[in-house]
Amino acid sequence: SKLYPDETAKEEMWKRAYGSWKLQLATGPPAGGGTTPFKAVPIFAYAMIDENNFGNGVGLNQDTIILSLLGPHYFNTKRRVMGIGIEDMFLFSNKVTQFVPTFISDGMGLKKKPSDFSGKKGSRMPAFTIIGSSEKSLIARGGSGGIAIWTRLDKDIRPATYGVE
């Protein structure tokens, strides 16, 4: 029997992923087809998913976010894949997108849409495959094959990251 037997189950899993999350454990990409051990994340790293956007970044704690990114997500229910667009960058909850040098914005795909990516190696939209979600945890695999385990934060992180209430 499948973990997510139909589109409805996958959609419910996706809706459970909405919220603010703290990265707890992560692996790197599999080395030579093998596995890599989970390691505790030594900094405060977060992710946020709502009906329209995905955001992530790093900070001192959930109240002091240093660097954050925000943009639309593109969820493919059938494959459980969330593509990520990066529209804006924030430093200490202040939007700095317009001040980002071109060589940095080009390198991180700032303002790129799904149609701007060719799909060839090195030109794929950043994406995660959602493995599972619950009221307390979120598990996802990144495009390079690494796995991340997140725990739900007790409050909405958006005011501390994007300066909005």
Side-chain angles (χ1 to χ4, degrees):
S1 110
K2 292 183 177 182
L3 185 59
Y4 302 106
D6 56 34
E7 301 286 321
T8 301
K10 291 175 185 177
E11 188 66 33
E12 289 169 359
M13 179 267 318
W14 170 240
K15 287 204 165 105
R16 284 191 304 271
Y18 291 177
S20 299
W21 303 92
K22 180 181 188 273
L23 182 59
Q24 298 288 353
L25 299 168
T27 70
T35 60
T36 57
F38 278 99
K39 293 183 180 164
V41 178
I43 59 170
F44 180 85
Y46 82 92
M48 182 284 306
I49 302 171
D50 66 20
E51 293 81 2
N52 302 305
N53 294 301
F54 172 82
N56 66 341
V58 295
L60 302 177
N61 53 46
Q62 68 181 352
D63 297 314
T64 307
I65 303 300
I66 299 167
L67 171 70
S68 54
L69 305 173
L70 181 68
H73 55 64
Y74 307 91
F75 188 66
N76 178 325
T77 305
K78 184 174 184 178
R79 296 179 55 219
R80 301 187 331 269
V81 173
M82 175 183 62
I84 302 161
I86 303 168
E87 292 283 317
D88 290 303
M89 179 186 285
F90 297 77
L91 291 175
F92 295 98
S93 77
N94 296 293
K95 190 187 293 190
V96 296
T97 310
Q98 65 272 27
F99 304 114
V100 177
T102 304
F103 76 95
I104 293 175
S105 63
D106 288 351
M108 60 188 278
L110 194 65
K111 303 284 187 190
K112 280 191 171 185
K113 306 282 183 242
S115 59
D116 296 329
F117 294 92
S118 68
K120 295 179 183 149
K121 191 166 177 102
S123 181
R124 291 189 301 215
M125 175 171 256
F128 294 98
T129 299
I130 308 291
I131 296 171
S133 64
S134 72
E135 285 305 310
K136 295 182 180 181
S137 63
L138 175 68
I139 304 169
R141 186 181 74 236
S144 64
I147 295 177
I149 299 176
W150 309 79
T151 55
R152 191 178 297 275
L153 292 170
D154 58 359
K155 66 181 184 179
D156 185 349
I157 200 157
R158 290 176 290 189
T161 56
Y162 312 117
V164 295
E165 293 297 325

